[in-house]
Amino acid sequence: MMVLMAGKETRTPSSAPGRTSAASGVPTAARPAVSGGNPTTATRAWATRLVVVGIVLSAVNLRPAITSLGALLEEVRDGLGMSGSVAGLLTSVPPLCFAVFGVMAPRLARRFGPAAVVCAAMAAVTAGLLIRPYVGGTAGFLAGSALALMGIAVSNVLMPVIVKRWFPDRVGSMTGLYSMALAAGTSVAAAVTVPLTDALGGGWQPGLAVWAGLAAAAVLPWVPLVRDRGPAQAAGAGSEARARAERQPPALRITRSRTAWALAVFFGLQATAAYITMGWMAQIFRDAGVSASTAGLLLAVTMVMGVPLAFVIPRVATRLPRQGPIVIALGVCGLAGYAGLYLAPASGAWAWAVLLGISNCAFPLALTMVGMRARTAAGVVQLSAFAQSTGYLISIPGPLLVGVLYQHSGGWGLPIALMVGLMIPQMAVGVLAGRDRTVEDEAGTAP
């Protein structure tokens, strides 16, 4: 992994506090201060490797809470006595939590440091996944899910920030790495949740709770880094003014940036498609006559497509002045996959799973554009929080509306038509978000 990240990105803006040393290739942000301000090579390498491990393990845990539920949604509905509409509400909880709690991430990061916040967030994911199957009733299940999703929401926002601070000249490759890890965790959870549930006795509760162990492992790499405040702290005793400026940068008028709004809407529409897919695609296949285990594998195929593509797409995107062509290509794959789900959901199931998996790689592309559309780490913090929080707010009605349409129409024709209708504006705003400009140029700073 470290070899793959060795190359420098070409189109990625970088900030002064995160300069890379020509001698070592290690960002100054990754250099913990030691006696005399001259860190050893061993300490620099250890800290950098620890951050990489933390990023990867955290990314692996950003979706199993959702896809494991999607694989067992029918069993959870029966066990808790949910209607289709309530199940649609359940699949809308992730974007709601991401919108509500994600906006808190920048303030928490400024006060405690990004590493400490991500460490606490992974602990919250662990606790939520462990308790939600056993608290009893729909309300308790929702509360446990909300706790886990709160941790995921904060980590969602801070992952681009940590990448920008520690690896300012490798935004594309590092974004690809954690997007690939995210896709791997998503697909593995979709594929093995049903077999794990059967191996643990057939009850859905242990099949969901088992993912708390993976989340607990993600807490560990961040523990030695909880005192780290990013590159400003590592600048040394002679950089107190810069350290204060890094912790309290002038705020951008982010809502004045057309690029920020385009990126937020693009993020929201791709999130809508992703959460509809994660929450409902297995059920679409099961209703078409596919077995539960095969439907879980099909969902896993959709998710696993992001493993190679989530590494390739960000690296390609950072080398292009405009990302619009990638947006269009992904959207066309999505439209073809939805058409297949409508016309021949069972006979062409594997092809539709692959096409929708390619389309879902709009997520790592959106994350990459967050890093590219701001010049500084402070700008990335604000843009990441704005785009993700606003985007997840936009995505809330989609999964719920799919559940309502499914229940009242008795089939999947109307829900699939909704998915197709949302893909067109996603492509349009994605092209706008992919233009070669930064939010600092458009927004200005608050007085």
Side-chain angles (χ1 to χ4, degrees):
M1 293 294 186
M2 295 298 292
V3 174
L4 287 173
M5 293 184 295
K8 287 180 76 173
E9 304 298 334
T10 57
R11 293 286 307 175
T12 307
S14 61
S15 58
R19 290 187 297 270
T20 302
S21 165
S24 68
V26 178
T28 56
R31 300 185 179 190
V34 296
S35 177
N38 296 313
T40 66
T41 301
T43 301
R44 292 199 302 270
W46 174 84
T48 303
R49 292 191 186 104
L50 198 61
V51 172
V52 173
V53 171
I55 288 172
V56 170
L57 283 179
S58 298
V60 167
N61 282 280
L62 293 181
R63 294 299 179 268
I66 302 165
T67 50
S68 61
L69 175 60
L72 294 174
L73 185 58
E74 186 171 308
E75 288 75 12
V76 174
R77 286 176 58 188
D78 293 341
L80 297 178
M82 292 182 186
S83 66
S85 297
V86 174
L89 175 63
L90 183 61
T91 57
S92 291
V93 168
L96 174 62
C97 289
F98 293 168
V100 171
F101 297 119
V103 75
M104 300 163 48
R107 180 177 298 178
L108 292 172
R110 285 194 297 270
R111 181 169 182 180
F112 301 106
V117 176
V118 172
C119 183
M122 288 295 108
V125 175
T126 303
L129 292 180
L130 190 60
I131 67 174
R132 74 171 178 175
Y134 299 109
V135 290
T138 300
F141 189 91
L142 288 171
S145 297
L147 177 60
L149 293 166
M150 176 179 67
I152 295 172
V154 172
S155 300
N156 273 338
V157 172
L158 293 183
M159 284 295 105
V161 176
I162 289 172
V163 166
K164 185 76 170 183
R165 287 188 168 191
W166 284 77
F167 307 97
D169 297 311
R170 287 172 278 176
V171 169
S173 58
M174 286 302 300
T175 300
L177 177 64
Y178 84 76
S179 298
M180 186 170 62
L182 187 152
T186 305
S187 58
V188 168
V192 307
T193 294
V194 172
L196 269 178
T197 301
D198 294 339
L200 294 171
W204 58 268
Q205 291 92 339
L208 292 182
V210 70
W211 296 104
L214 184 63
V219 177
L220 302 178
W222 298 107
V223 173
L225 298 167
V226 293
R227 294 182 181 275
D228 176 76
R229 301 263 177 153
Q233 176 178 302
S239 303
E240 291 297 327
R242 282 187 297 166
R244 287 193 298 270
E246 176 67 18
R247 286 194 293 270
Q248 296 180 337
L252 294 172
R253 298 178 183 269
I254 200 73
T255 56
R256 292 189 175 184
S257 168
R258 288 173 291 180
T259 297
W261 277 108
L263 188 53
V265 176
F266 176 68
F267 200 100
L269 292 175
Q270 67 80 28
T272 300
Y275 288 109
I276 290 173
T277 298
M278 286 187 281
W280 289 107
M281 197 177 82
Q283 191 66 50
I284 294 174
F285 287 128
R286 290 177 74 168
D287 287 353
V290 177
S291 68
S293 59
T294 302
L297 285 175
L298 287 164
L299 180 57
V301 167
T302 297
M303 299 299 112
V304 83
M305 291 303 299
V307 175
L309 292 178
F311 193 76
V312 172
I313 288 175
R315 291 176 67 87
V316 173
T318 55
R319 286 164 168 78
L320 296 176
R322 297 172 181 265
Q323 290 71 49
I326 304 176
V327 171
I328 297 298
L330 297 178
V332 169
C333 288
L335 293 174
Y338 292 142
L341 282 182
Y342 178 76
L343 297 172
S347 60
W350 297 100
W352 318 141
V354 169
L355 286 169
L356 290 173
I358 296 172
S359 178
N360 278 350
C361 287
F363 175 71
L365 177 61
L367 292 178
T368 305
M369 288 195 287
V370 167
M372 295 181 68
R373 297 287 87 89
R375 287 195 303 269
T376 65
V380 173
V381 172
Q382 285 191 258
L383 179 58
S384 181
F386 175 75
Q388 294 200 47
S389 296
T390 305
Y392 283 126
L393 277 174
I394 292 169
S395 72
I396 290 170
L400 175 60
L401 189 54
V402 165
V404 172
L405 291 175
Y406 171 56
Q407 180 174 349
H408 290 282
S409 68
W412 289 104
L414 285 178
I416 291 173
L418 172 66
M419 299 176 209
V420 171
L422 292 175
M423 184 58 70
I424 305 301
Q426 177 181 321
M427 295 163 69
V429 294
V431 170
L432 293 177
R435 295 174 300 173
D436 187 12
R437 56 194 64 191
T438 63
V439 293
E440 286 89 349
D441 294 331
E442 297 178 342
T445 57

